[in-house]
Amino acid sequence: MRALIAPILGFLTLLGSPAAAQGYVVQVTITEEWVEDTVPADSADRAIAFRRARTPTAIAAYGPFRVIDRNRAALVGVTGPATPAQFRAMLRDYPELARLDLIECPGTDDDRANLAVGRMIRAAGLETRVPTGGSVRSGAVELFLAGKTRTIEDGAEFAVHSWLDDRGFEADDYAADSPEHRTYLAYYQDMGMAADQARAFYDMTNSVPHNQALWLGAQDMRKWLGEVPAQASVQTSLAGAKASKPRLEYLDFAATSF
């Protein structure tokens, strides 16, 4: 089956910035571990721009994951083809990890790998948490939903939009019962949503075109977890995506704060 690109992938620029997460700084020396993984040859591969962010002082790094202590890790970047292997390596080295904080999460450049990581998070029984100032966008929303328990602090933000495949087609270009749609609906149900809730959430993520964004606050996302009854609201819309390929910016680990 043709590779899918993240359902919420590809923000070129972002309006505003969330409040800085309290107590988060970057350690000067962090060593990346590069781990090979097996992925389909036609997997999507796309760069997305993202903000520089405050991240916790880390004792180890595995791709976009930062190990804060033996019980806690953080996600601070884009997931890709190597991320499943990086996540496995992190759990191998730190088997007592219990919580994943999603801090600055632009999305993914390989949705197959991203959904695989989500299932790994659920299988490991990790809690997912978005702290005050945390930003969860694109395919990272699927990773947040993967938590066995999920915590959203006031001041967290989320953003969604329609997925785009490797031929440039969006969700509404496909028949309602297509395999592409079933992939995401099955994932949401595997993450604990009832069938009707999964459909409603999926329709919401595809309610704006790929080159725009629907921004959700903490209360908006809590609604989708069944915690508040209010309807999700649009906070900000990002329109007029640039035609040129976005520049992928990397977190600056040479700085101690931003």
Side-chain angles (χ1 to χ4, degrees), residues 1 8 22 34 37 73 75 78 87 108 111 119 143 151 178 180 186 191 194 200 208 214 217 234 247:
M1 185 175 71
I8 325 161
Q22 296 180 358
W34 294 94
D37 196 17
L75 179 62
V78 178
F87 185 81
T108 185
D111 207 42
R119 288 191 164 89
L143 301 186
T151 302
S178 69
E180 287 79 6
M191 297 304 111
V208 293
L214 175 65
V234 179
R247 180 168 59 93

Side-chain angles (χ1 to χ4, degrees), residues 35-243:
V35 185
E36 296 295 328
D37 196 17
T38 301
V39 297
D42 61 347
S43 292
D45 183 8
R46 180 175 299 193
I48 44 181
F50 60 91
R51 289 183 282 239
R52 299 170 71 191
R54 293 178 181 271
T55 58
T57 298
I59 59 176
Y62 298 80
F65 298 104
R66 302 291 178 263
V67 178
I68 312 309
D69 56 46
R70 67 179 187 176
N71 300 124
R72 182 166 61 105
L75 179 62
V76 292
V78 178
T79 66
T83 308
Q86 292 162 341
F87 185 81
R88 282 195 296 270
M90 180 174 68
L91 289 185
R92 177 199 66 209
D93 296 343
Y94 296 91
E96 297 180 34
L97 285 174
R99 192 177 90 192
L100 178 65
D101 289 345
L102 287 82
I103 297 173
E104 166 51 22
C105 310
T108 185
D109 59 18
D110 189 314
D111 207 42
R112 287 180 174 179
N114 192 66
L115 296 181
V117 172
R119 288 191 164 89
M120 294 165 69
I121 290 171
R122 174 57 64 101
L126 298 184
E127 172 194 358
T128 53
R129 169 180 167 269
V130 186
T132 299
S135 184
V136 178
R137 314 184 297 278
S138 299
V141 173
E142 275 69 42
L143 301 186
F144 167 71
L145 294 175
K148 183 177 180 180
T149 59
R150 296 164 291 200
T151 302
I152 304 171
E153 294 189 353
D154 290 341
E157 69 174 12
F158 299 79
V160 300
H161 67 179
S162 175
W163 54 262
L164 186 77
D165 72 11
D166 55 353
R167 296 189 301 168
F169 294 122
E170 299 192 20
D172 60 5
D173 292 317
Y174 287 86
D177 61 348
S178 69
E180 287 79 6
H181 292 313
R182 292 199 298 269
T183 294
Y184 297 106
L185 293 171
Y187 179 85
Y188 296 139
Q189 291 182 66
D190 289 346
M191 297 304 111
M193 289 185 179
D196 58 347
Q197 182 188 17
R199 169 58 70 178
F201 183 82
Y202 183 62
D203 289 347
M204 182 273 292
T205 67
N206 293 317
S207 64
V208 293
H210 178 73
N211 66 350
Q212 299 179 20
L214 175 65
W215 290 86
L216 307 172
Q219 283 294 94
D220 297 324
M221 186 56 70
R222 287 171 186 150
K223 174 260 182 180
W224 292 105
L225 302 183
E227 296 181 7
V228 294
Q231 293 295 317
S233 62
V234 179
Q235 289 190 335
T236 307
S237 180
L238 174 62
K242 297 178 182 178

